[in-house]
Amino acid sequence: MLKLKNYFFHLVAGTLMVLFGAGIFQAILLEMLKEYDSASKLAYVCGLIACAGIILYGVYELMQAFNYERRILKSLEPGERHEFVSELSDGVELSIPGQVVMTRHYLLVPARNMSFVHVFAKNRMIGCFQADVHKEEAATEAQIVIYDTDFKSVNVDIRGNGSSDAAGRLYSKICTGMPWIFHEDYDSFLAQIRRSGYRRKLIKQMTDARIRYESGYDSESEAEEELEAMTQDVRERLNPESLLKRFSSKKSK
């Protein structure tokens, strides 16, 4: 659906621009051939240049219509493009019809409006925030903000009935699958990324959190184990037999 909308939009826009520019260009040339006015030379030149610009823009729109895949996949490496396309047929984890597709390693989302999309490689995402957490369930538009490791943001606009619920499901799916990315305190995240020195710290924090998660490290369990070990050590030291042994050892010395 996104591809069809993109194709139709750019094809119509490009065709209209080319026809409009060519029509005016032809009219100016006929005017120059029939009734050339030397005093209007500058006007003729400016008109021809403007028409050429309109025609070139129309050609650009036509190229956009036929280069959809290349344009939306330009942020991916050649190998990643092949992997993403293969995962679209076998590996889709979440789909919001006509808007969002999440595969095992990639996320395709609408950006700015429904004519533009952006593809994220999940391993290059650093933040995901739900901007409209207080929006009513009946809302027809909701927004999620996603940041990559270059700290470039994309505002993901989810539209249509049930958009708030759909955005919530997408946000939950991203955060559940990648709990190491920043996703809770948006204001704090924004305050830190405005300082260049803090950006490196954020990337390191995310990397460390991912390593701990993938290695199965649990900070709470680790703390409980340390506390239990300390408790056991204290119990052994306070044990009467242990106290007697230490006292006897000191007395013999």
Side-chain angles (χ1 to χ4, degrees):
M1 182 62 72
L2 283 172
K3 183 176 180 179
L4 181 60
K5 288 181 178 179
N6 174 85
Y7 177 78
F8 180 77
F9 174 80
H10 289 290
L11 183 63
V12 172
T15 302
L16 290 176
M17 286 292 182
V18 170
L19 293 177
F20 179 72
I24 298 179
F25 190 88
Q26 182 182 14
I28 294 175
L29 286 179
L30 291 175
E31 176 71 18
M32 292 175 63
L33 293 174
K34 291 181 179 180
E35 300 178 3
Y36 181 77
D37 184 4
S38 59
S40 302
K41 182 178 180 180
L42 182 60
Y44 291 142
V45 173
C46 291
L48 292 174
I49 293 175
C51 291
I54 294 173
I55 294 173
L56 289 176
Y57 182 75
V59 173
Y60 170 77
E61 287 291 333
L62 291 174
M63 292 175 62
Q64 292 286 84
F66 294 101
N67 290 318
Y68 180 75
E69 286 88 353
R70 183 180 299 177
R71 182 162 55 87
I72 68 170
L73 300 178
K74 64 181 180 181
S75 61
L76 303 179
E77 299 295 331
E80 292 177 330
R81 296 177 187 178
H82 177 73
E83 184 181 32
F84 172 64
V85 173
S86 64
E87 287 185 1
L88 288 176
S89 57
D90 182 23
V92 175
E93 296 182 347
L94 175 67
S95 175
I96 301 176
Q99 299 189 68
V100 175
V101 176
M102 177 188 284
T103 67
R104 286 190 295 267
H105 302 101
Y106 302 94
L107 177 65
L108 183 148
V109 293
R112 290 182 289 178
N113 58 57
M114 295 303 295
S115 298
F116 297 88
V117 295
H118 190 93
V119 179
F120 281 98
K122 288 184 178 180
N123 61 1
R124 289 199 289 273
M125 289 174 57
I126 191 172
C128 177
F129 303 94
Q130 191 171 4
D132 302 317
V133 291
H134 302 297
K135 209 152 203 180
E136 298 179 359
E137 294 183 1
T140 58
E141 181 178 347
Q143 188 178 86
I144 291 177
V145 184
I146 296 177
Y147 284 82
D148 61 17
T149 49
D150 293 325
F151 294 94
K152 295 179 180 178
S153 65
V154 170
N155 294 328
V156 181
D157 297 320
I158 308 297
R159 303 173 187 272
N161 294 329
S163 60
S164 182
D165 178 63
R169 286 190 289 113
L170 175 61
Y171 174 78
S172 177
K173 186 70 175 179
I174 293 174
C175 297
T176 302
M178 298 180 292
W180 55 82
I181 67 174
F182 297 94
H183 58 273
E184 293 181 347
D185 193 342
Y186 188 28
D187 293 334
S188 175
F189 181 80
L190 284 178
Q192 293 184 72
I193 65 174
R194 292 191 178 104
R195 305 175 182 178
S196 59
Y198 280 81
R199 293 186 175 187
R200 291 191 296 271
K201 293 181 180 179
L202 290 174
I203 292 177
K204 186 177 185 305
Q205 289 177 18
M206 184 199 69
T207 303
D208 292 343
R210 181 173 184 175
I211 292 174
R212 288 196 300 270
Y213 177 81
E214 293 180 344
S215 63
Y217 175 84
D218 189 341
S219 58
E220 293 184 1
S221 299
E222 187 73 14
E224 291 177 359
E225 291 177 2
E226 291 181 1
L227 182 61
E228 181 64 26
M230 292 173 62
T231 303
Q232 184 65 26
D233 182 63
V234 171
R235 287 175 181 172
E236 291 178 357
R237 289 177 178 275
L238 295 178
N239 186 283
E241 294 182 0
S242 178
L243 288 173
L244 182 60
K245 287 181 180 180
R246 288 201 301 272
F247 178 76
S248 300
S249 176
K250 290 181 180 180
K251 188 175 181 180
S252 62
K253 291 180 180 179

